[in-house]
Each structure stands twice: as C-alpha cells, then as structure tokens.
Amino acid sequence: MTTASSPHAGLVAAIEDMARAQRETGAWLARTLECGRGGLSVIRVLDRGPRQVSELAQHLRVDVSVASRQVAALAEAGLVDRDVPATDRRARMVALTESGRALAVRSSAASVELAAAVFADWDPAAVEAAAEQFRRVADAVSRHHGLPGARSATATPTATTAAPPAPPAPPARTADTAHAAPEPLEREIA
C-alpha cells in the first residue's frame, strides 16, 4: 500500500479540509459578530470561566505574548477584566465583563444556528455520530502530543497494535518565527 492510498493519508486530507472549513466558519462568525477571530476564541474560552493569561495561551496553543495582546485588546474594548489575585501577585486573572458574556452568548447562538443550517438535511443521529468522531480525532491528536484537555482513550490498544511513530521535532524558532502565532489546534470556532 502506498502512502498516498493509505487510510491515514485520507484522514490527513480530511483533517486539512476540516481545518480550512473551520477557518472559513471562524472568519464568517468574526465578521458577523464584529470581533476578531483571535479575540472571539479568547471570549469563547473565558465563557467557561476566568483563566490566567498563561492558561489561555496553553488552551489556544499560542505564545503567552499573543494571548496577552488579545486580552489587552479585549480589555480595551470592555469585553474582559484583568485582575491580580491577592493570593498570587504574579498571576493575572482574566474574566468576561457583562459585554463579554453577551458576546459569548451571541457567539454560541450564532454557531449553533449555523450548524443547524449547514446540517439541516442530516439525521440527528448522524450529527451526534460526527460530533463524537471529531472529539475522538481531537483527543487522539492531543493525547499523542501530550496536550492538556485530552480525554482518556476509549479503547485500550491490543498487544498487536504498533505504537505510533514519534512526531517530527518542531522547527527551530528563528528571529522570523519567534513572534508568529502557531495555527491553533483546538476546536476554536463552530
């Protein structure tokens, strides 16, 4: 079996197609809600509760400086508050303001409405099955890379299952790439 005809090559192509569709959806949602994609991603994470900037960066898979810039822009727009807890003066907690919570509600509603329109001709069971497959793919990738947030494996590998190859080492950061934000690997929008 050639690499191009392996089921894994098909999976890689499907994931790339989904990533493009997710970016398109994220761009549409950001335009609709008049908020940048990165800021909207921060809003959606903070909708689950206050976080430290470092936790936001880790969740979004971006550098802390990128998350800090997003938070600063959102704070200037009145969508988040930054607070330094008395228990740890080094930490800076970020939480949604009332305006930020309202945007999170609108974002969630717009996402669900869009999904309902896109998948209107799908049987509800097929939608649920697709959601579970997406979760499994995301969890498998997160577990392989040792990323936080992965669920435990649903099936135990058998003795005959070969271990996956180690991922290639990430490219060295140069002066040109030191400040570039990596493409988020998480379920950012939609």
Side-chain angles (χ1 to χ4, degrees), residues 3-21 23 134 137:
T3 303
S5 65
S6 81
H8 296 98
L11 178 60
V12 168
I15 290 170
E16 289 169 348
D17 289 345
M18 189 62 226
R20 277 189 293 280
R23 282 191 300 275
F134 280 125
V137 168

Side-chain angles (χ1 to χ4, degrees):
M1 176 183 300
T2 66
T3 303
S5 65
S6 81
H8 296 98
L11 178 60
V12 168
I15 290 170
E16 289 169 348
D17 289 345
M18 189 62 226
R20 277 189 293 280
Q22 180 184 15
R23 282 191 300 275
E24 291 163 4
T25 299
W28 173 85
L29 190 59
R31 281 190 310 273
T32 300
L33 298 173
E34 299 176 348
C35 182
R37 278 185 63 204
L40 198 52
S41 295
V42 171
I43 294 290
R44 291 174 66 94
V45 171
L46 291 175
D47 192 35
R48 300 175 203 146
R51 308 259 178 142
Q52 291 183 10
V53 174
S54 60
E55 291 174 313
L56 280 171
Q58 185 178 29
H59 184 83
L60 296 172
R61 316 278 201 272
V62 298
D63 190 77
V64 172
S65 64
V66 173
S68 292
R69 284 192 299 274
Q70 288 292 342
V71 166
L74 293 170
E76 188 174 312
L79 298 168
V80 300
D81 280 328
R82 296 175 283 189
D83 185 35
V84 179
T87 57
D88 186 356
R89 304 299 295 170
R90 297 168 297 163
R92 178 163 268 185
M93 295 299 290
V94 182
L96 294 177
T97 62
E98 284 300 318
S99 296
R101 280 190 286 282
L103 178 58
V105 167
R106 290 191 347 256
S107 172
S108 181
S111 296
V112 171
E113 288 172 19
L114 177 61
V118 169
F119 301 105
D121 60 341
W122 285 36
D123 179 85
V127 172
E128 290 173 11
E132 181 54 29
Q133 289 302 315
F134 280 125
R135 280 191 286 275
R136 289 183 64 203
V137 168
D139 290 342
V141 171
S142 293
R143 276 193 316 277
H144 183 80
H145 293 294
L147 299 172
R151 297 184 303 171
S152 62
T154 55
T156 323
T158 62
T160 59
T161 303
R173 291 178 68 92
T174 65
D176 293 338
T177 62
H179 300 291
E183 186 72 30
L185 298 175
E186 56 103 35
R187 290 162 260 168
E188 180 178 300
I189 299 190

